[in-house]
Amino acid sequence: MEQIEPPVRAVGWSPAGTLRILDQRLLPGRELERDLGTIDEVADAIRTLAVRGAPAIGVAAAIALASALPEVTRHAVEAAAALLRATRPTAVNLGWAIDRMLAVARALPPAPSLDAALRAEAERIRAEDEAMCRRIGEHGQEWMRDGVRVLTHCNAGALATAGIGTALAPLYVAHARGRRVEVLADETRPLLQGARLTAWELQRAGIPVTVLTDGMAASLMAAGRVDLVLVGADRIAANGDVANKIGSYGLAVLARHHGIPFVVAAPWSTVDLATATGAAIEIEQRGADEVALVGDRRVVAAGVAIHNPAFDVTPHALVSAIVTDRGVLRAPFPFVANVSLVPPPI
Ligand code: MRU
């Protein structure tokens, strides 16, 4: 597999060996990298979506646990892990990365060997994520015919991972191989990850992208202007139900009605075999102001009730395929419940 550079690095190490993130709250207007030296700063960055996307917050938490502890002891790792875990409940990658760091802390004597072991594990998590993205890009090529028009939701690109993204990875690979691909990016209310982030990174990579508001997808599908819906995932239950950014479920219903494949791309670390179905997935509820305010302007009268779940669950019956780093899982599921059906890592 040829190497493909992401258009941007969202999360990684600073030269000083601390966590470096690109502050996504400021995009597309301003590109500001921040080096975060305390667990509180990292927790705040995850909560406020300065760093976001399921794989990226897992990598950020791992690097934080390796570089931002007040003292490198097992007790300090446990306390910081609990704080970071509580920041966002839906993305399984966060807890998955934290559990890997905890396993290292529980197995080893105190500093300095613990310090080195934590750093090595965090780097493994980062590097594995980058490699998983690349393999997802490869496995997704069967949908990337020349001229394909892909509708995506939220941001499951380089900004959401340590590599070339998940849902956007097949597009980056196809583009690097000279195939023409075109992206329709849902703006993704209320935090506009599609408009602010997906369009920005695709433009930077030279991939044609058009932004639409979330209500426009149906008419584009009806007009025959969408070949594929391709989204990421925050958690995939054992039966194949998929939690992803609010609005993904609606797109899956629309795609089924119009006979368009609805494909999910995610690393194997997003599959949660301990969660039987989507009904058991905790959905993060966020503050009312995210909906009530557009910038500084109030667009909902004060006192009106507001509903703001960050994610929804797409039932597996509406999912055509799940592209993982290990291979493509196809409907009909409950494939995931039976791990032996899952292709081994390549
Ligand atoms: O709230 P966000 O911006 O973190 O939500 C992100 C998504 O829903 C992504 O689609 C998902 O995390 C997959 S990112 C590769």
Side-chain angles (χ1 to χ4, degrees):
M1 272 188 296
E2 72 276 33
Q3 177 137 354
I4 296 172
E5 271 303 302
V8 59
R9 295 272 175 193
V11 60
W13 300 89
S14 73
T18 58
L19 172 64
R20 172 166 287 182
I21 62 158
L22 179 65
D23 189 339
Q24 300 189 33
R25 296 168 299 195
L26 306 177
L27 291 173
R30 194 166 160 217
E31 278 174 57
L32 180 71
E33 287 183 327
R34 285 188 198 278
D35 295 345
L36 306 178
T38 70
I39 295 293
D40 283 340
E41 282 177 335
V42 177
D44 188 60
I46 295 174
R47 256 185 242 114
T48 60
L49 276 57
V51 58
R52 46 145 300 280
I57 60 177
V59 172
I63 295 179
L65 290 173
S67 65
L69 295 176
E71 45 169 359
V72 185
T73 62
R74 179 177 154 178
H75 176 74
V77 178
E78 303 262 4
L83 202 144
L84 291 170
R85 197 190 296 275
T87 52
R88 300 194 75 188
T90 305
V92 69
N93 312 63
L94 178 62
W96 169 85
I98 289 171
D99 286 340
R100 278 182 60 167
M101 298 299 286
L102 280 173
V104 169
R106 286 170 185 160
L108 274 159
S113 46
L114 179 56
D115 184 57
L118 288 171
R119 284 181 179 274
E121 184 67 354
E123 172 53 18
R124 261 193 299 276
I125 290 170
R126 190 209 63 76
E128 280 173 25
D129 185 62
E130 186 171 5
M132 287 191 285
C133 290
R134 181 66 188 81
R135 290 200 290 265
I136 290 169
E138 204 61 39
H139 291 306
Q141 289 309 294
E142 71 174 84
W143 287 275
M144 295 294 114
R145 65 160 176 76
D146 191 49
V148 70
R149 298 159 303 175
V150 179
L151 191 145
T152 192
H153 192 66
C154 192
N155 173 267
L159 286 167
T161 65
I164 57 171
T166 58
L168 299 192
L171 291 151
Y172 284 128
V173 172
H175 178 69
R177 292 180 181 164
R179 249 168 283 143
R180 288 169 306 136
V181 293
E182 194 185 318
V183 178
L184 299 159
D186 263 359
E187 77 171 339
T188 319
R189 276 280 285 157
L191 294 181
L192 307 179
Q193 289 94 330
R196 292 190 305 108
L197 308 177
T198 296
W200 180 80
E201 69 164 87
L202 289 171
Q203 183 187 53
R204 183 176 256 235
I207 295 180
V209 55
T210 303
V211 172
L212 45 138
T213 68
D214 298 348
M216 296 173 184
S219 65
L220 279 177
M221 289 184 190
R225 290 173 58 186
V226 178
D227 300 311
L228 170 73
V229 178
L230 186 52
V231 299
D234 282 81
R235 191 181 293 251
I236 300 173
N239 70 340
D241 291 350
V242 175
N244 191 48
K245 179 54 55 191
I246 187 77
S248 301
Y249 174 30
L251 284 179
V253 173
L254 288 174
R256 177 59 55 92
H257 179 77
H258 292 95
I260 298 166
F262 180 88
V263 176
V264 174
W268 190 248
S269 54
T270 303
V271 176
D272 178 13
L273 294 173
T275 296
T277 73
I281 297 176
E282 182 182 349
I283 300 294
E284 176 185 358
Q285 305 294 323
R286 294 187 62 88
D289 279 355
E290 290 182 354
V291 175
L293 303 177
V294 172
D296 293 334
R297 198 175 136 237
R298 175 164 285 280
V299 295
V300 182
V304 172
I306 283 171
H307 179 55
N308 188 20
F311 303 99
D312 59 23
V313 174
T314 300
H316 61 86
L318 294 176
V319 178
S320 311
I322 301 179
V323 182
T324 78
D325 48 298
R326 296 185 180 196
V328 178
L329 307 162
R330 293 169 204 281
F333 312 111
F335 63 88
V336 188
N338 186 343
V339 187
S340 64
L341 295 181
V342 172
I346 53 168

